[in-house]
Amino acid sequence: MDFTLIELLIVIAIIALLAAMLLPALQKARERGRTTKCLSNLRQLGASIISYTSDYSDTYPPVNRTGNSGDSAKYTWNWAFGLRDKGYIKGVMMICDNILNQSTGNQLTYVLEVRANTVTASRYTRISYGYNAGHIGGSGNVPGIAKYLPPAKIKDLRSPSKTVMLGDNNLGGDTNYAIRMPSANGSSSSSLSAAHNKGCNITWADGHATHASAVERRKIIWDKDQYMGAFARQFPQP
């Protein structure tokens, strides 16, 4: 049986309509898959940090090497490379597929090398996930504090299940391994990234990982009385 041109056009139009209806659902399913994979990465990173604390007297890994401002190596060695170097985790767990798909130029080169578990420390400055440097990893970038602070111990955290440890980060460049905290006056927000459905994936200090919606992300508490951590060295609490 032969089809007329009009009948063929009708069939093609129906197929195109069905494809248009299914495409958003397929895209949502693909993003759910990427979100789930990213959460798995963050859970494993969180588990590797907790393993590190067990081996190092309940102390969290430092965010980077400490030193004076002229010590460029302090920005080369960071917590991510340290965990990889000590065998706690592999580089492939440090890259989010959504970030990978957005990467170009040197960023793409670095990301691919990290996924291949490179031994070059500088590549780990551009991973997808940031570490809570100001409250856990120790940092010189703490509002009101000029000096570097040592990393926190487990006992310093008042509410580990509410304390951000790692998260999707969009600080960019060679410092993407550390989360920027919001400014005290509200002029700048944290660098947690809306990498998944306008929300972000987070590992909390007790090791569990969740997806935070855009609204939940804005409600995250960045307060020294909640977090303690590195602040405990500067602001002792009873």
Side-chain angles (χ1 to χ4, degrees), residues 82-102:
L83 292 178
R84 178 253 173 248
D85 193 42
K86 295 293 185 181
Y88 288 99
I89 200 161
K90 293 184 178 180
V92 67
M93 302 299 176
M94 303 177 189
I95 303 300
C96 169
D97 284 349
N98 280 1
I99 302 301
L100 173 62
N101 293 337
Q102 298 168 13

Side-chain angles (χ1 to χ4, degrees), residues 25-38 197:
L26 291 173
Q27 289 175 334
K28 288 181 179 179
R30 182 181 301 168
E31 176 52 32
R32 282 196 297 270
R34 289 174 177 168
T35 301
T36 299
K37 182 179 179 182
C38 179
N197 292 320

Side-chain angles (χ1 to χ4, degrees), residues 52-175:
Y52 177 99
T53 63
S54 296
D55 294 337
Y56 290 89
S57 304
D58 291 340
T59 303
Y60 287 94
V63 63
N64 54 24
R65 276 188 57 184
T66 57
N68 58 44
S69 59
D71 180 11
S72 62
K74 72 181 181 182
Y75 295 112
T76 299
W77 187 100
N78 63 67
W79 68 271
F81 175 74
L83 292 178
R84 178 253 173 248
D85 193 42
K86 295 293 185 181
Y88 288 99
I89 200 161
K90 293 184 178 180
V92 67
M93 302 299 176
M94 303 177 189
I95 303 300
C96 169
D97 284 349
N98 280 1
I99 302 301
L100 173 62
N101 293 337
Q102 298 168 13
S103 299
T104 59
N106 286 338
Q107 173 70 14
L108 179 59
T109 299
Y110 280 29
V111 166
L112 291 176
E113 288 186 33
V114 170
R115 285 192 65 177
N117 212 38
T118 179
V119 297
T120 305
S122 62
R123 301 310 188 243
Y124 292 82
T125 60
R126 301 199 184 195
I127 61 172
S128 305
Y129 308 118
Y131 184 35
N132 187 342
H135 296 105
I136 298 179
S139 174
N141 188 26
V142 178
I145 302 175
K147 64 181 180 180
Y148 272 79
L149 300 175
K153 288 182 175 290
I154 291 176
K155 65 181 178 63
D156 293 329
L157 304 182
R158 289 186 169 181
S159 301
S161 65
K162 298 178 181 179
T163 302
V164 173
M165 181 162 64
L166 301 164
D168 292 318
N169 204 33
N170 68 351
L171 194 56
D174 291 336
T175 55

Side-chain angles (χ1 to χ4, degrees), residues 162 164 166-171 179-180 182 188-202 204 210-222 227:
K162 298 178 181 179
V164 173
L166 301 164
D168 292 318
N169 204 33
N170 68 351
L171 194 56
I179 297 171
R180 181 192 66 221
S188 64
S189 60
S190 78
S191 60
L192 287 176
S193 170
H196 299 280
N197 292 320
K198 298 182 180 181
C200 66
N201 291 334
I202 293 171
W204 306 87
T210 62
H211 176 76
S213 68
V215 173
E216 292 168 335
R217 182 165 57 97
R218 288 193 293 270
K219 290 182 178 179
I220 291 173
I221 299 172
W222 299 94
Y227 282 74

